[in-house]
């Protein structure tokens, strides 16, 4: 039986992955520094998972009902990016591989 990343990584048992993307998330206070990971999109959530070089786990779980704004942009003036604004936080996802995948996210 195939592993469901939504359940294994985020504990979301009822969710199934619709799309999956390799991308990076801009650190909150890191200037232009990025955490590289993987984005998972389901019917109700956008989730992102990464493991840092030191072994730290970085997860983001965003319920679609919490999103107030979603728009395309650029990171460092060249990398295509997606900004997600929720009621409490703002996220910038960039470095989609390949670059053209940003428009599919």
């Amino acid at each position: 039986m195939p592993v469901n990343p939504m359940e294994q990584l985020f504990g979301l048992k009822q969710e199934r992955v619709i799309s999956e993307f390799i991308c990076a998330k801009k650190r909150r206070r890191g200037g232009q520094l990025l955490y590289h990971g993987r984005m998972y999109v389901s019917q109700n959530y956008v989730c992102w998972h990464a493991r840092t070089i030191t072994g730290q786990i970085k997860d983001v779980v965003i319920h679609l009902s919490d999103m107030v704004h979603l728009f395309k942009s650029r990171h460092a003036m060249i990398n295509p990016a997606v900004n997600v604004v929720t009621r409490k936080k703002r996220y910038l996802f960039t470095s989609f591989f390949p670059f053209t995948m940003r428009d599919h996210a």
Side-chain angles (χ1 to χ4, degrees):
M1 183 174 201
V3 175
N4 176 13
M6 297 300 275
E7 181 178 355
Q8 183 184 29
L9 299 172
F10 310 107
L12 301 171
K13 295 181 182 184
Q14 303 301 319
E15 298 297 315
R16 296 290 172 252
V17 174
I18 296 171
S19 296
E20 185 176 332
F21 306 95
I22 296 170
C23 67
K25 181 181 86 65
K26 184 178 177 206
R27 290 176 53 178
R28 270 188 289 178
R29 296 181 194 91
Q32 300 299 320
L33 297 176
L34 303 170
Y35 288 122
H36 292 272
R38 195 171 287 263
M39 178 184 285
Y40 302 93
V41 179
S42 72
Q43 187 173 348
N44 299 302
Y45 290 91
V46 173
C47 300
W48 179 84
H49 174 81
R51 185 181 305 266
T52 68
I53 197 166
T54 61
Q56 270 186 306
I57 302 278
K58 300 289 183 181
D59 286 340
V60 173
V61 177
I62 305 168
H63 195 281
L64 295 182
S65 67
D66 291 335
M67 279 190 204
V68 294
H69 200 52
L70 175 73
F71 60 98
K72 295 179 188 181
S73 67
R74 297 217 174 256
H75 172 259
M77 294 188 288
I78 56 169
N79 272 347
V82 173
N83 284 272
V84 178
V85 181
T86 68
R87 293 181 183 117
K88 296 181 181 180
K89 290 186 177 180
R90 168 180 239 131
Y91 302 94
L92 184 131
F93 297 101
T94 188
S95 297
F96 285 85
F97 183 79
F99 283 146
T100 56
M101 293 308 292
R102 179 214 47 189
D103 293 333
H104 298 281

